[in-house]
Amino acid sequence: MASTDTAKAVLGETGSVEAGLDALETTAVSRTSFRQTFTAKILPPLVATAVVLLVWQALISFKIVDNPAKLPSPADVAGEFKTAWLQGTLLDYIWTSVSRGLLGFLFALAIGTPLGLVVARVRFVRAAIGPVLSGLQSLPSVAWVPPAVIWLGLNNSMMYAVILLGAVPSIANGLVSGIDQVPPLFLRAGRTLGATGLKGAWHIVLPAALPGYLAGLKQGWAFSWRSLMAAEIIASSPDLGVGLGALLENGRNASSMSAVFEAIFLILFVGIAIDLLIFSPLERWVLRSRGLLVKG
């Protein structure tokens, strides 16, 4: 009887300890209300935008800058947007550039990912190609436009070549950096469980290197977008259509600062939208999967 009571007491204490550990590991997650989301994420950029517009309009109203050729008013720029929308060309400008940028980025992703994996895992390849990738990453993407035009002509292939040359080094270097930060214990555990070769790369190396890889992807997209804008500005042709870079160059040729500002705002809008719609959710998913993000 005494032994039974002792066993029950031990089990009770064990259960309480387990419950306590579960309580420590479990964090109460409540659904974020719209008011909290609006206050934390929507209101600050709206306030910042309103301040910029007020300062901009003040420069015009108080004649601090009274030359429309140098600084158009917000109303003039809004008029450019309205005209492009009524003519049905506004979405065409955006889609022409976004479709090229995303497709070129997917090509860069397909090339840069295996390249980065090989560079990170094969010592000889890393010694031979690693410095070249770092050098290419620091090379301004606009430098690739003239040779790409000479090699491929004024066509979409030239655009994609410039995007690849700008984005692949960043994606590959991001993956290399992520793999370098993988704890050796993970690799040894994977080998012990039979995860070697491609299986180990897929199940152990890539998941563990995901934060660095994602940083490389973000930088690769930034380089893709910049490379595309440089190509569209320099290499304009009727066969290529009018993207955002061409729109910017057309505004400069017409000495229309309102059109130039329209193109700048559209380029900025696309960059922010891609980050909010693609990369920010990916970052939150990575942080949440590692227990680093509970809410938001």
Side-chain angles (χ1 to χ4, degrees):
M1 183 70 178
S3 61
T4 303
D5 293 339
T6 303
K8 288 182 179 180
V10 171
L11 290 175
E13 292 177 358
T14 304
S16 63
V17 170
E18 291 178 350
L21 291 175
D22 290 341
L24 288 175
E25 294 178 355
T26 304
T27 305
V29 179
S30 60
R31 186 177 181 85
T32 305
S33 66
F34 175 76
R35 181 177 180 180
Q36 292 174 321
T37 302
F38 179 82
T39 303
K41 297 184 178 181
I42 301 177
L43 185 59
L46 290 178
V47 171
T49 303
V51 171
V52 171
L53 290 175
L54 287 175
V55 173
W56 183 3
Q57 185 60 51
L59 294 175
I60 304 297
S61 300
F62 293 105
K63 299 188 182 302
I64 300 175
V65 180
D66 57 356
N67 186 354
K70 294 183 178 180
L71 182 65
S73 67
D76 292 336
V77 178
E80 290 287 343
F81 279 101
K82 181 179 179 181
T83 300
W85 176 261
L86 294 176
Q87 292 176 349
T89 57
L90 183 61
L91 295 181
D92 291 338
Y93 297 148
I94 298 174
W95 175 245
T96 298
S97 293
V98 170
S99 60
R100 283 178 185 152
L102 290 178
L103 186 57
F105 178 71
L106 290 177
F107 289 151
L109 184 64
I111 296 174
T113 300
L115 178 61
L117 188 60
V118 171
V119 170
R121 304 297 290 170
V122 181
R123 185 174 302 176
F124 175 78
V125 175
R126 181 168 191 159
I129 300 180
V132 177
L133 288 176
S134 299
L136 290 175
Q137 188 174 358
S138 62
L139 181 68
S141 54
V142 68
W144 290 114
V145 178
V149 172
I150 295 173
W151 293 334
L152 302 172
L154 291 172
N155 50 45
N156 281 322
S157 298
M158 177 272 299
M159 298 283 186
Y160 295 137
V162 173
I163 292 174
L164 289 176
L165 291 168
V168 167
S170 296
I171 295 174
N173 280 331
L175 182 54
V176 171
S177 177
I179 292 175
D180 287 345
Q181 298 175 31
V182 175
L185 180 61
F186 290 5
L187 304 178
R188 290 197 295 270
R191 286 194 294 269
T192 302
L193 296 174
T196 59
L198 292 177
K199 185 183 293 185
W202 179 255
H203 293 287
I204 304 298
V205 177
L206 287 179
L210 195 55
Y213 181 45
L214 183 56
L217 293 184
K218 287 188 67 173
Q219 191 175 53
W221 164 252
F223 275 74
S224 296
W225 191 237
R226 294 175 185 176
S227 302
L228 177 61
M229 292 300 102
E232 289 185 349
I233 290 172
I234 296 176
S236 59
S237 170
D239 296 334
L240 293 173
V242 181
L244 298 180
L247 179 65
L248 181 63
E249 180 65 9
N250 291 341
R252 186 193 69 84
N253 291 333
S255 298
S256 173
M257 281 301 296
S258 55
V260 169
F261 270 68
E262 175 194 16
I264 291 174
F265 287 144
L266 287 175
I267 294 170
L268 182 63
F269 167 77
V270 171
I272 294 174
I274 294 296
D275 182 73
L276 292 178
L277 295 176
I278 298 178
F279 292 109
S280 290
L282 281 176
E283 284 183 328
R284 288 196 297 270
W285 174 74
V286 171
L287 292 175
R288 190 177 294 114
S289 66
R290 283 160 169 73
L292 301 175
L293 181 67
V294 177
K295 294 176 62 176

